[in-house]
Structure formats: C-alpha cells, structure tokens
Amino acid sequence: MDFIDLKTQQQRIFPELDRRIKAVLAHGQYIMGPEIGALEEELAAYVGVRHCISVASGTDALLIALMALEIGPGDEVITSPFTFIATGETIALLGAVPVFVDIDPVSYNLDPAKMEQAITPRTRAILPVSLYGQCADFDRINEVAKRHGLPVVEDACQSFGATYQGRPSCALSSIGCTSFFPSKPLGGYGDGGACFTDNDQLATRMRQIRVHGQDRRYHHPKLGINGRLDTLQAAILLAKLKVFPDEVKARGRIGTRYSELLKDVCQVPEVAHGSTSVYAQYTVQVEKRDEVQKRLSEVGIPTAVHYPVPLHLQPVFGELGLGCGSFPVSEAASNRVMSLPMHPYLEEETLVRIAAALQEVLR
C-alpha cells in the first residue's frame, strides 16, 4: 500500500503530461520558458489574485516573500512552532528571530488568541502556517496584524486548494506561499513553489528576487537568489491542474469518510465551519504512537508523523532558550499525531481496511 499514490494520477493524465513535456523538449527553453507564464496565469486565476510568481520550492517561496518584505537582522517574525523546519529556517536565514506562538489544539494552526502578547516593537511580520490542509484563522490573525501595521505571510505549503470562509488559500494575506513538492495536493515531479499577492510592488520585488535581484539583464538593484521554477516542472503542473479541482473534491470526500469511521476511537481532524480542507495529510491523535505504528506496519499499512519535534526544541533553535513546556499544545501534539495514507485516488475498500485496522489496534 502506498502512503501517497502518484502512479494512478500519472496514468490518468499521461497523454496531456506527455504532450506538454514533449513541447518543452521541442522548444528547448528549459529556464523561464513559455510554460512558466502560462502556469502563473492559471494559478493566479485559480486563487483569484493579480500576481503569481513561480519559484523553485516552497522554501524559496517563503524566503522570497520575507525578502520582499525586507525582513532582516534583528527583526522578529511571529510563527508556529508546530510545522516543518522551513518555516522557521527562512526567518533565521535572513538574520531575523522566529518568535513562536502556540497552536490551537483543534486545528493545529497558530492560535490568534495568544498572538498579540508576542508582538514587540521589533515584530516585522506574522507567518501563520495552514497545516495539514486547513487554513489558519485568518480573519482574527489579519485583525491583529492590521491593528499593529504588520504584513501577514501565509505558509500555505500544505493547503493549496483549501478555502477559508469561501476564500482560497493563498489569497488570505499580504503574500501566500505554497509548495509543489511531489506529495503536496498539487505536486510536481521535483521541487517547486509559488508566491501569490495582490500587491503590485511586492510582486515586482519577488520577481526580481527570484532571478538574482535583477530588474533587467545584468542589472541588479537588490540582492536575490536563484529561485526560478524549471520549465519542465511548469509543464507538469499545467497538466496536473486539469484534474486538480476533481482531486480537491475527492480529498474532501475521503477525509470526511475517514472521520466518520474513526471518530469514536481517536481524535480526528475537525474542519472549521465555513472552511474546507485539502487534507494534505489525514492526521489523527493516538496514545502509544510507536506501538500503534508498529502494529499497523505489520499488517501492511504505512503511517507517518508530521511533526515529532516542535521547532523550539530543535537543536538549531536552542539559542532561543525555549525548553520543554514552552509551548505545551504543540509539544502534546508532537507526541500524539500520526498521519494515515491519504491521496485523491484512495479507494473505499482500502480506506475501510485502514480504518478497521486502526480501530482494532486502538480497542
């Protein structure tokens, strides 16, 4: 059993995939070819914003967004400790300080009620994570940010395709950042990502930053990085976009079905009223996780843990002096969360088998 099945999708879209890849091989513009502009146009339309800037990875998307906001040494950026390292890493790479705020125990996302007390005169931005495929509470986050004059960057690397109060992920803040890593809801066949914004000035800055800070050939008004998306990845993503709306619906249906089967034996995901989730991971909470994973593995069911160690307890952030007990909700979740196989081609028979096996282990 695959934890994520990419082969079935490939079989479904292979003629379109083959056609688009062959077109790139024919024109030979492997860097910033015409597929880049076509993809950015389609993605911007999907999200409903004026600008999409495709980039080399989700990590680069976060880094470029923060660079466009001119985050630098001594600045503070508020974010979640319960996320992948890239969220805190990009802040630190710019010489800024990640200021962690604990998560909501239900959504696993940044808790807006705890956010304001973390704001200081050095705070320059807020970077909420839309974890496991569900958007953070952006109305409340944006309200606090507006009151303090702070930009908000959505780390939407797991939530592209989800909605919050009827509005798409990546269109909820100053800049939205997503990832096209192969396992993501919309994934390529390698690294990739994108930044989204309605702000013309920020869009111009991000386009310059992704090509070494240049505004025209060999003219560099600012420091940048080599952050371009490959043309081949853009071609692959254009093919995948054709079926993405159907896959988003399937993810919602499968996530709901999982919860129906498992709600009586473990803590299942809860989607906020008025929002949708793309279930980038279908994540439950269990006691004695290692034992549960071992027993599921013995019957051929793969599982994963996202994430076993919160960022404030990672050695690289040890100098922040935040020990165990600093963020109890995040720490409790890190000891209990477990993700089950999840993808839009998960068949009912397989899903029922997974749920039955977990029920057996937990009872």
Side-chain angles (χ1 to χ4, degrees), residues 267-284:
Q267 182 175 326
V268 299
E270 292 185 34
V271 180
H273 179 72
S275 295
T276 62
S277 176
V278 286
Y279 294 100
Q281 288 86 28
Y282 184 85
T283 303
V284 298

Side-chain angles (χ1 to χ4, degrees), residues 121-164:
R122 294 182 298 277
T123 306
R124 288 290 310 281
I126 300 170
L127 178 52
V129 181
S130 294
L131 201 70
Y132 297 151
Q134 179 175 194
C135 298
D137 190 349
F138 276 92
D139 283 349
R140 293 174 66 194
I141 291 169
N142 287 334
E143 180 186 353
V144 174
K146 184 177 180 181
R147 198 157 58 240
H148 292 271
L150 297 170
V152 177
V153 177
E154 181 188 11
D155 180 339
C157 289
Q158 296 182 15
S159 60
F160 189 79
T163 61
Y164 171 81

Side-chain angles (χ1 to χ4, degrees), residues 17-192:
L17 197 62
D18 188 51
R19 181 183 72 81
R20 288 192 175 275
I21 291 174
K22 284 179 176 176
V24 176
L25 297 178
H27 66 59
Q29 298 177 55
Y30 301 116
I31 303 296
M32 299 303 288
E35 285 79 5
I36 295 294
L39 176 67
E40 290 176 344
E41 186 176 332
E42 289 199 26
L43 290 173
Y46 182 87
V47 171
V49 296
R50 288 203 298 273
H51 304 284
C52 169
I53 300 91
S54 62
V55 298
S57 69
T59 304
D60 278 351
L62 293 170
L63 183 64
I64 288 169
L66 294 174
M67 291 174 73
L69 293 171
E70 300 181 333
I71 303 299
D75 294 336
E76 295 179 351
V77 178
I78 291 173
T79 194
S80 166
F82 191 62
T83 179
F84 183 58
I85 187 67
T87 312
E89 177 183 51
T90 51
I91 297 167
L93 280 171
L94 296 175
V97 179
V99 175
F100 299 120
V101 169
D102 213 351
I103 58 171
D104 172 80
V106 175
S107 71
Y108 304 103
N109 291 326
L110 196 67
D111 188 342
K114 300 172 182 173
M115 198 173 70
E116 195 153 17
Q117 64 195 39
I119 295 173
T120 76
R122 294 182 298 277
T123 306
R124 288 290 310 281
I126 300 170
L127 178 52
V129 181
S130 294
L131 201 70
Y132 297 151
Q134 179 175 194
C135 298
D137 190 349
F138 276 92
D139 283 349
R140 293 174 66 194
I141 291 169
N142 287 334
E143 180 186 353
V144 174
K146 184 177 180 181
R147 198 157 58 240
H148 292 271
L150 297 170
V152 177
V153 177
E154 181 188 11
D155 180 339
C157 289
Q158 296 182 15
S159 60
F160 189 79
T163 61
Y164 171 81
Q165 304 302 316
R167 309 191 306 275
S169 179
C170 290
L172 304 171
S173 60
S174 311
I175 304 172
C177 300
T178 199
S179 168
F180 302 130
F181 187 79
S183 63
K184 302 299 184 185
L186 178 62
Y189 292 156
D191 279 312

